[in-house]
C-alpha cells in the first residue's frame, strides 16, 4: 500500500495487484487478486468495519491496481491500515471473503 500526494491537497492510496502475500489464497477462494477485487475488499471493510469512511473518497481501480483517492489523507491512511491487515494475513483474507460471501457481497473481479 502506498499513500501519495498527487497534487496539493489530493491523495491516492494505491496497491499494485498481484503483489500481496495472500494472492494465492485469493485465487484458491475463487477470486482474482486484481485491482477490482481489492476495491471490493475496501468497500466491504468500509461497510462493515469503518462506516464513518463511507463516501469520504472515490475509487478508480483497474485490473493491475487498486486506487482510492480523495482530499483527506488521514481517512485514506485509515483505509490503508485496514486493507494492509487483509493483504498480509491469510486467516484475515479467508475470513473476509467468507463473511462477504455470507452477506451476499459480490467482488467485481
Amino acid at each position: 500500500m502506498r499513500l501519495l500526494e498527487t497534487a496539493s491537497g489530493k491523495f491516492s492510496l494505491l496497491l499494485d495487484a498481484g503483489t500481496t502475500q495472500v494472492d494465492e489464497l485469493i485465487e484458491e477462494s475463487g477470486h482474482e487478486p486484481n485491482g477490482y477485487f481489492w476495491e471490493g475488499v475496501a468497500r466491504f471493510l468500509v461497510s462493515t468495519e469503518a462506516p464513518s469512511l463511507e463516501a469520504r473518497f472515490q475509487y478508480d481501480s483497474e485490473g493491475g491496481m487498486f486506487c482510492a483517492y480523495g482530499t483527506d489523507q488521514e481517512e485514506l491512511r485509515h483505509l490503508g491500515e485496514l486493507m494492509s491487515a487483509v493483504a498480509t494475513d491469510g486467516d484475515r483474507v479467508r475470513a473476509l471473503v467468507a463473511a462477504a460471501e455470507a452477506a451476499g457481497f459480490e467482488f467485481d473481479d
Side-chain angles (χ1 to χ4, degrees), residues 3-109:
L3 181 60
L4 307 171
E5 185 170 19
T6 56
S8 182
K10 296 182 180 179
F11 302 91
S12 291
L13 178 66
L14 306 172
L15 169 70
D16 293 323
T19 64
T20 73
Q21 298 172 11
V22 296
D23 289 344
E24 189 173 310
L25 295 172
I26 293 167
E27 290 173 345
E28 288 173 7
S29 71
H31 296 282
E32 288 187 48
N34 60 29
Y36 303 115
F37 172 82
W38 285 106
E39 182 174 324
V41 168
R43 290 179 185 276
F44 189 74
L45 286 169
V46 167
S47 71
T48 59
E49 296 182 23
S52 65
L53 296 179
E54 191 71 47
R56 304 297 296 175
F57 38 77
Q58 270 75 45
Y59 298 100
D60 188 22
S61 301
E62 53 189 51
M65 178 185 68
F66 162 80
C67 176
Y69 65 94
T71 57
D72 192 314
Q73 182 178 19
E74 288 309 309
E75 289 172 343
L76 287 167
R77 185 180 320 279
H78 184 196
L79 177 62
E81 290 167 358
L82 291 171
M83 291 185 66
S84 289
V86 175
T88 59
D89 183 338
D91 291 336
R92 180 87 166 94
V93 78
R94 279 189 204 98
L96 182 135
V97 168
E101 290 175 352
F105 182 87
E106 292 188 31
F107 294 95
D108 185 23
D109 59 337

